[in-house]
Amino acid sequence: SSPPPRERNPRILAVLWWTLPLVVAMVVAGGLLIGLYMWSASTLKAAERSDWTQAEMAYEQQMRLTQHFPQPWLSQYNLGTVLVDEGRLDEGLVLLESALRGVPKARVDENGSIGAFSYECSVRFNLSAAVELTGDLQVSNGEEGAALQSYERASELVGPCQIAGSSGQSDESQDQQDQQNQGGPGGESSQDED
C-alpha cells in the first residue's frame, strides 16, 4: 500500500503564482539590458573602426528602442558623438544638447565643481568639442565674433568639470604657489634642505 498523497499548502502555491510573473519580467528585463549593453559595445567598435554608416544606423535604432528606457540620453549621446565625428556638426549638436538635458546631473561640490568622470561631464566634454569645432568652422568662414561666442560657450560647458583635487587656480597662480613652496622667486622654501 502506498502512502496517501500529501496535500499542498495553498498559501505557498498562491505566493508562487503571484511571484512567477515578477520573476519572468525581471529575467526578460535583465536579458534586454544585457543585450542592449552588448549591442552598444559592438556599435562602439564600429565607430572606433570609423564605420560611420554602421554606427549611425545602430545608434539610431537604439535611440528609438530606448526613448522610454533607463538612460534614454545615452543613445542620444552616442549618436550625437558619431555624427560629430562624421562631420555632421549641426545634427550632432542637437542630439548632444538633448543628451545634456537628460543626463543625470552630477553632485556639485562646495566649489561649484562636478566630477570630471561623471556621466554629465562625459556629455559636456563631447558637446564642448562639437561647439569648439563649430567655432573653428566659423573662423574659417570669417565669422570671428560668432567663433568667439562658440569658444566661450565650449569653455563654459566644461568649466564645472574638474578632476578631484584640482584647485581651480589658474596656471599662473599655481606656478607662483609652486615657486613659493620650493623657495623660488619671492618665497622661502617650505622644505628643509639637507
Side-chain angles (χ1 to χ4, degrees):
S1 92
S2 65
R6 289 182 42 190
E7 194 172 306
R8 296 184 184 196
N9 186 338
R11 281 194 220 167
I12 292 175
L13 287 176
V15 169
L16 176 67
W17 287 114
W18 182 80
T19 59
L20 184 61
L22 292 174
V23 170
V24 169
M26 290 172 64
V27 167
V28 168
L32 286 173
L33 288 172
I34 290 169
L36 185 60
Y37 174 79
M38 292 173 62
W39 185 18
S40 186
S42 75
T43 304
L44 177 62
K45 287 181 183 178
E48 288 171 348
R49 290 190 313 268
S50 298
D51 186 352
W52 305 122
T53 304
Q54 176 66 30
E56 181 182 346
M57 185 174 63
Y59 282 138
E60 283 175 349
Q61 291 170 348
Q62 288 176 20
M63 199 165 70
R64 281 192 298 276
L65 179 68
T66 62
Q67 61 185 326
H68 303 292
F69 218 76
Q71 301 181 331
W73 62 271
L74 188 56
S75 57
Q76 296 167 339
Y77 165 76
N78 288 334
L79 180 56
T81 300
V82 165
L83 292 174
V84 168
D85 285 345
E86 197 176 347
R88 294 164 56 188
L89 287 177
D90 292 338
E91 295 170 82
L93 278 167
V94 169
L95 288 169
L96 289 170
E97 291 279 1
S98 181
L100 183 60
R101 286 189 300 275
V103 69
K105 301 305 178 216
R107 186 182 63 80
V108 179
D109 69 13
E110 63 275 355
N111 297 325
S113 301
I114 57 180
F117 300 107
S118 66
Y119 290 137
E120 181 180 355
C121 282
S122 293
V123 174
R124 284 177 172 276
F125 289 139
N126 284 17
L127 178 57
S128 175
V131 170
E132 188 174 333
L133 287 171
T134 300
D136 293 346
L137 283 175
Q138 291 165 329
V139 165
S140 68
N141 292 334
E143 304 169 25
E144 284 79 14
L148 180 60
Q149 289 177 343
S150 292
Y151 294 142
E152 287 173 355
R153 178 155 186 264
S155 179
E156 289 168 2
L157 282 165
V158 296
C161 300
Q162 295 190 9
I163 295 174
S166 68
S167 63
Q169 295 178 324
S170 70
D171 289 341
E172 186 176 308
S173 64
Q174 184 64 45
D175 288 344
Q176 289 173 354
Q177 184 178 359
D178 289 345
Q179 286 178 355
Q180 288 176 352
N181 289 340
Q182 296 174 4
E188 296 180 26
S189 176
S190 62
Q191 299 175 355
D192 294 335
E193 294 183 21
D194 293 33

